[in-house]
Amino acid sequence: MNFKNKNFLKLLDFTPEEIGYLIDLAASFKKMKKEGTSHKICTDKNIALIFEKTSTRTRCAFEVAAADLGMHPVYLDPQGSQIGKKESIADTARVLGRMFDGIEYRGFGQEIVEELAKYAGVPVWNGLTNEFHPTQILADFLTIKEHFGSLAGKKLVYMGDARYNMGNSLMVGCAKMGMHFVACAPKKYFPTEELTAQCKEIAEKTGAVIEFIEDPSVAVCGAHVIYTDVWVSMGEPAEVWAERINDLTPYRVTSELMQKAGAQCVFMHCLPAFHDLKTTTGKEIYEKFGIDCMEVTDEVFESDASIVFDEAENRMHTIKAVMAATLCDDLPC
């Protein structure tokens, strides 16, 4: 496996074997981290972290992973760069590419990170775009593999709006790794026909199953994982809340739904989650719509079946694997 100097923009660009290697590499780094074994194999490297959309997990994962590898990260927040405003994407890429050894981008359209990669001359990593979130999927799959021992054949049901980065990326990832993916939502919230066709073509080669089911009781039967995400994504207008709450409340992950799936089923969420009233947004939604949780109940979120914090931790280990594989020599596997 040779990832040196390659970009990491979407899982569609990689083979199942390459994705599996990155997951295994992440597991090796995680073991070293837990054992206190130093792995500063990327010393004297500098990386730029461009965040047009803020994040707790993604920023911390990149910064801690970089420090563990011996690299120096520079964080550029939405006000810390002229990208796309006073300076074109191409010009920004060519400037940063001469100063840094790698560039992370978290923001809006996939075309932005693709253009950065075209002009930077150094590896570019996708920390999230509107269409794809590949580092999250690596963390999800490491977590599933840790829990079940393997990925092939495992059934993952995504509840809710599957049209954007998480629904898209989980469908792609499941297709690549021979898993059983189900999007469960009203039909208008399903992924695009174009991406669905791509994933079904991949599935024919890997043995994966791609399904779209509107009835939650039918969808979750035999599921190994029930996965959900917030109903309104970053950057969307507040006016869509009423529509989403009306459309997606029947797809909330509840204890009853988990029981229908079976005792083997675990709950996953990329976070942050609106499972209680301990956030400003949660309180505002309660005051306006009278609901005390949104995509998942607090009972499920805090249950023994919830592995969301294992999943959150694994963001760091899998991001470390991506950066190390594309920048460093002497990898542990």
Side-chain angles (χ1 to χ4, degrees):
M1 298 292 170
N2 182 14
F3 292 85
K4 193 73 178 289
N5 298 320
K6 290 185 178 180
N7 302 305
F8 188 76
L9 307 180
K10 57 186 183 298
L11 293 183
L12 285 169
D13 299 334
F14 297 92
T15 67
E17 292 76 19
E18 289 172 328
I19 295 168
Y21 172 80
L22 289 173
I23 293 169
D24 290 343
L25 179 59
S28 295
F29 279 128
K30 183 173 184 177
K31 184 174 184 292
M32 296 171 75
K33 178 82 170 178
K34 298 295 184 184
E35 292 174 347
T37 303
S38 177
H39 43 282
K40 295 186 183 299
I41 59 174
C42 299
T43 55
D44 299 324
K45 301 286 187 183
N46 297 290
I47 61 169
L49 308 178
I50 302 173
F51 277 67
E52 292 195 294
K53 289 183 179 180
T54 57
S55 168
T56 299
R57 276 150 300 282
T58 303
R59 177 181 178 178
C60 292
F62 269 100
E63 292 197 351
V64 174
D68 283 353
L69 291 170
M71 298 193 290
H72 175 65
V74 174
Y75 176 74
L76 299 172
D77 66 17
Q79 286 75 47
S81 167
Q82 296 296 341
I83 185 170
K85 298 185 284 286
K86 292 183 178 179
E87 188 166 53
S88 70
I89 308 301
D91 289 356
T92 299
R94 287 179 285 189
V95 168
L96 296 182
R98 290 181 178 228
M99 298 182 182
F100 294 93
D101 300 288
I103 300 168
E104 178 271 353
Y105 173 81
R106 177 184 172 92
F108 298 96
Q110 181 71 15
E111 69 278 1
I112 297 174
V113 76
E114 299 277 354
E115 189 170 5
L116 279 172
K118 179 179 178 180
Y119 289 100
V122 297
V124 173
W125 312 299
N126 180 356
L128 174 142
T129 62
N130 293 341
E131 293 83 3
F132 295 109
H133 198 0
T135 60
Q136 178 68 52
I137 306 310
L138 289 184
D140 296 340
F141 285 4
L142 174 59
T143 310
I144 294 169
K145 189 173 181 180
E146 288 174 337
H147 195 83
F148 292 104
S150 62
L151 295 174
K154 298 301 180 288
K155 181 177 179 179
L156 184 150
V157 180
Y158 183 82
M159 304 290 298
D161 192 345
R163 299 172 296 175
Y164 300 119
N165 46 44
M166 283 310 304
N168 289 344
S169 296
L170 283 167
M171 182 170 68
V172 171
C174 286
K176 289 279 187 177
M177 304 310 289
M179 298 171 68
H180 183 171
F181 173 81
V182 180
C184 184
K187 189 174 182 179
K188 69 179 183 179
Y189 292 101
F190 291 163
T192 65
E193 291 184 5
E194 180 182 3
L195 183 61
T196 299
Q198 283 182 277
C199 289
K200 287 187 173 181
E201 184 177 348
I202 294 166
E204 290 178 1
K205 301 174 184 177
T206 64
V209 177
I210 307 294
E211 290 188 305
F212 305 95
I213 300 174
E214 295 187 60
D215 185 340
S217 297
V218 175
V220 302
C221 182
H224 296 90
V225 178
I226 294 179
Y227 199 118
T228 193
D229 191 9
V230 294
W231 290 342
V232 176
S233 299
M234 295 176 67
E236 291 191 277
E239 291 75 29
V240 304
W241 273 111
E243 179 186 17
R244 300 289 169 79
I245 289 170
N246 178 69
D247 291 347
L248 298 177
T249 294
Y251 299 88
R252 174 184 290 148
V253 182
T254 63
S255 293
E256 291 74 21
L257 201 63
M258 294 293 293
Q259 289 168 6
K260 287 178 181 177
Q264 78 290 337
C265 189
V266 297
F267 171 73
M268 297 180 71
H269 193 305
C270 54
L271 303 182
F274 294 122
H275 59 97
D276 56 23
L277 299 179
K278 297 178 182 178
T279 64
T280 301
T281 300
K283 290 176 183 176
E284 290 174 351
I285 295 300
Y286 174 75
E287 291 170 0
K288 191 170 183 178
F289 298 100
I291 57 175
D292 60 4
C293 63
M294 283 176 259
E295 70 277 7
V296 59
T297 65
D298 192 57
E299 185 178 18
V300 170
F301 188 87
E302 298 292 353
S303 71
D304 290 340
S306 176
I307 56 174
V308 298
F309 296 110
D310 293 337
E311 181 186 2
E313 177 193 338
N314 282 339
R315 292 298 309 285
M316 177 183 67
H317 305 300
T318 46
I319 281 171
K320 186 182 294 181
V322 169
M323 292 196 296
T326 54
L327 288 182
C328 308
D329 298 313
D330 301 322
L331 300 175
C333 74

